Amino acid sequence: MNILYTAFNGKSNSSKILLDRINSNNKLYLRNSFITSVDSLKKELLKKDYDLVICFGEAYLPIDTIKIELVGRKDMMVYKTSFDYSYLASKLKNNNYKVIVSEDAGNYLCNNLYYNGLKYLSDNNMNIKMIFIHIPKISNISDIDKLVGVFNE
């Protein structure tokens, strides 16, 4: 399976720190910009034949809690992932993470990227699955290397 991993830049951003440690050549570091982040994702999706996009973002979450986002929203429009997240949720739980399945990716950069990414995949009939995962701030991750192990290919 050819997976693209994304995260937003930021020196202390836990999602960027996670992405730094994932063992993959398919990584996309996104600028903290509504327009540039979406444009970068669209350009990358045209470069390779990906099967799955896993996007990481940082959120205020309790210690070792991972939030799997199911939808991206804009106004009254909703795009839902077609990715079967059950294996991922089970893998996280088996590694002692609390998993929250959510239909609220927030109102900022994460939701914007997710909504526009899902919309782009749908509008262009691309057979690529996409999932957005919020992880806690770095201070609320007991063992970042254990979390990395869940996502390493």
Side-chain angles (χ1 to χ4, degrees):
M1 179 174 282
N2 200 14
I3 302 172
L4 172 64
Y5 297 93
T6 77
F8 289 96
N9 279 316
K11 199 176 207 179
S12 61
N13 183 327
S14 60
S15 65
K16 190 250 185 219
I17 294 167
L18 175 64
L19 186 58
D20 286 344
R21 295 179 183 203
I22 288 177
N23 184 21
S24 173
N25 292 323
N26 298 326
K27 297 180 187 181
L28 179 63
Y29 292 89
L30 301 167
R31 288 189 56 209
N32 295 321
S33 159
F34 285 94
I35 295 169
T36 307
S37 60
V38 172
D39 288 346
S40 295
L41 177 61
K42 289 176 182 178
K43 286 177 189 168
E44 183 61 30
L45 292 175
L46 295 174
K47 287 182 185 176
K48 289 186 182 177
D49 192 18
Y50 293 107
D51 300 301
L52 173 63
V53 179
I54 298 178
C55 302
F56 297 109
E58 179 183 85
Y60 291 100
L61 292 166
I63 292 174
D64 293 335
T65 301
I66 309 297
K67 196 167 128 185
I68 299 173
E69 305 294 352
L70 300 184
V71 299
R73 299 176 189 277
K74 183 175 181 183
D75 302 321
M76 298 302 288
M77 291 295 301
V78 176
Y79 283 89
K80 185 170 185 165
T81 185
S82 60
F83 177 68
D84 179 4
Y85 61 89
S86 59
Y87 173 74
L88 176 59
S90 160
K91 195 172 177 184
L92 285 161
K93 288 177 184 175
N94 288 341
N95 280 277
N96 298 317
Y97 290 98
K98 180 180 177 197
V99 176
I100 298 170
V101 177
S102 165
E103 292 194 1
D104 183 3
N107 296 316
Y108 199 55
L109 289 169
C110 298
N111 180 67
N112 181 70
L113 179 72
Y114 201 25
Y115 170 83
N116 284 292
L118 289 169
K119 181 180 186 314
Y120 180 76
L121 294 174
S122 175
D123 289 351
N124 291 282
N125 295 313
M126 298 175 90
N127 190 24
I128 303 171
K129 309 252 185 239
M130 183 177 187
I131 192 72
F132 199 100
I133 300 168
H134 273 117
I135 65 171
K137 293 191 154 295
I138 197 69
S139 60
N140 277 358
I141 300 173
S142 295
D143 183 348
I144 188 73
D145 292 321
K146 185 173 90 170
L147 185 57
V148 169
V150 172
F151 294 102
N152 267 336
E153 296 174 353

